[in-house]
Amino acid sequence: MIQLHDKQFVPFISAKEIDFALTKLAAQVEDDFGDDTPIFIGVLNGAFMVVSDFLKKYKKPCEVSFIKMASYEGTESTDSVKQLIGINQDLSGRTVILIEDIVDTGNTVEELKHLFKAQNVKHFKIATLFFKPEAYKKDIKIDYIGIRIPNKFIVGYGLDYDGLGRNLTEVYKLAE
Ligand code: IMP
Ligand code: MG
């Protein structure tokens, strides 16, 4: 059991399970777009660890960049997604693969899809380490999914509770 601010969390997903899921994701993307020199776009802050470990497993030529979005307040997703840092590179004709730590309601990926579609990209695909099917409210296809989880609040491996918990190497869920 660990304590972050006022809440307690219990172990949920091991480092080994995460590693396995990322190996699979990297292999799938490599199979589909390995000849394309994709540009991976990590969604900050949460995706920094996913992107780092994913890229080490992706063996073909690729580029990486980051965009910073924020929608969460405490343990609740909010409807307004703010773009805090943008991408200043020309993406027209490129294969863009968004890398998310987690897709919850889908507000963030919806916002990002609009943003990148407007830039005449060749392909726009979405990859996420974690996905909450019960919370997802959108029609947009999530192309690559690492691990499906129930509608629980989790921390660790880049994910935070009000700023804390990102440095944990394993994933914890809110204690009931
Ligand atoms: P969405 O826009 O509701 O899909 O939420 C996406 C963003 O909210 C993610 O990229 C995370 O940063 C954050 N988020 C969603 N679920 C969790 C969670 O269980 N723990 C921590 N952050 C989360
Ligand atoms: Mg995120």
Side-chain angles (χ1 to χ4, degrees):
M1 188 101 92
I2 56 157
Q3 174 103 25
L4 301 172
H5 297 297
D6 57 328
K7 297 198 192 308
Q8 294 188 314
F9 295 85
V10 292
F12 185 41
I13 297 166
S14 69
K16 209 171 158 181
E17 286 173 88
I18 294 168
D19 186 75
F20 183 79
L22 290 178
T23 301
K24 218 174 82 185
L25 281 183
Q28 284 172 343
V29 177
E30 223 179 272
D31 273 357
D32 293 349
F33 296 105
D35 298 330
D36 250 13
T37 312
I39 172 156
F40 294 110
I41 298 191
V43 185
L44 294 174
N45 290 328
F48 72 97
M49 269 198 203
V50 181
V51 172
S52 169
D53 287 341
F54 174 91
L55 278 193
K56 284 179 256 174
K57 294 173 183 293
Y58 189 90
K59 301 298 183 195
K60 297 234 174 113
C62 63
E63 293 178 34
V64 65
S65 190
F66 291 90
I67 190 164
K68 183 162 179 169
M69 310 289 288
S71 74
Y72 248 64
E73 282 169 14
T75 60
E76 293 295 324
S77 188
T78 63
D79 281 342
S80 72
V81 182
K82 285 176 287 191
Q83 186 181 332
L84 304 173
I85 300 176
I87 306 274
N88 45 20
Q89 185 177 347
D90 181 16
L91 298 175
S92 55
R94 299 296 305 271
T95 292
V96 171
I97 300 177
L98 201 70
I99 301 192
E100 267 282 24
D101 46 354
I102 188 164
V103 174
D104 184 5
T105 62
N107 289 334
T108 309
V109 290
E110 181 178 61
E111 192 74 18
L112 288 167
K113 183 164 182 170
H114 288 146
L115 207 87
F116 288 111
K117 277 285 169 186
Q119 298 195 41
N120 287 318
V121 300
K122 180 176 170 194
H123 298 285
F124 177 78
K125 299 286 169 186
I126 302 165
T128 186
L129 176 57
F130 299 114
F131 180 56
K132 295 182 186 171
E134 295 155 22
Y136 193 62
K137 293 187 296 197
K138 309 292 176 186
D139 297 326
I140 297 165
K141 182 175 177 228
I142 308 298
D143 303 281
Y144 303 97
I145 296 175
I147 302 173
R148 286 171 179 79
I149 62 164
N151 198 3
K152 296 261 161 48
F153 188 76
I154 61 172
V155 293
Y157 199 72
L159 292 156
D160 71 306
Y161 167 49
D162 271 347
L164 296 183
R166 294 195 195 274
N167 55 328
L168 299 164
T169 53
E170 315 217 296
V171 167
Y172 292 70
K173 67 175 177 187
L174 197 57
E176 315 266 304

